[in-house]
Amino acid sequence: MVTARLVSPPGPSRNSTRSAAASPLGAYETFLDRAAEGLTATGAFTDLDRPAFPWSRTYTRDEWLDQLRTSGLAKPLADAGKLDTILTRTATAIDAAGGTFTLNSTAVALTATRR
């Protein structure tokens, strides 16, 4: 993420990237809170729950670069002429870390029972 911030064009996505990087799960809590409030307000649902499923995946440099090329950041970075810089710096960082890295993630759901 640090590399993306160094060369990404200014704009709303830049700020939201920083917030999400600081607290990825926190970035989704607001949306889950609003959805839960909406479900509760209808009176049609009970037993709201937020199960979380942590998982990890180890990526090689090439796997991550392939993912990065198809991410939502790729188009604006390419339009700004900065995608190649991101890919090069990211590859260098992953190589310096031994050629792989593990990304820890958490999938979160909001479930409810209809009355």
Side-chain angles (χ1 to χ4, degrees):
M1 269 315 169
V2 172
T3 302
R5 278 190 246 131
L6 289 174
V7 297
S8 65
S13 64
R14 185 174 185 182
N15 291 334
S16 62
T17 300
R18 284 188 185 155
S19 297
S23 175
L25 186 55
Y28 290 96
E29 287 297 321
T30 300
F31 300 114
L32 292 170
D33 288 345
R34 287 184 184 165
E37 289 168 8
L39 289 172
T40 301
T42 68
F45 298 93
T46 63
D47 303 321
L48 273 69
D49 189 24
R50 288 188 197 184
F53 307 94
W55 59 280
S56 298
R57 171 147 189 234
T58 299
Y59 288 91
T60 65
R61 179 196 63 207
D62 292 340
E63 288 172 331
W64 189 254
L65 294 179
D66 286 346
Q67 184 280 138
L68 189 56
R69 284 184 189 96
T70 60
S71 74
L73 284 175
K75 174 92 169 94
L77 289 171
D79 290 348
K82 297 182 179 182
L83 181 59
D84 289 339
T85 301
I86 287 287
L87 295 173
T88 300
R89 290 183 181 183
T90 301
T92 300
I94 295 170
D95 286 342
T100 64
F101 71 96
T102 300
L103 179 66
N104 297 314
S105 299
T106 301
V108 181
L110 177 63
T111 64
T113 302
R114 184 180 286 200
R115 291 182 191 254

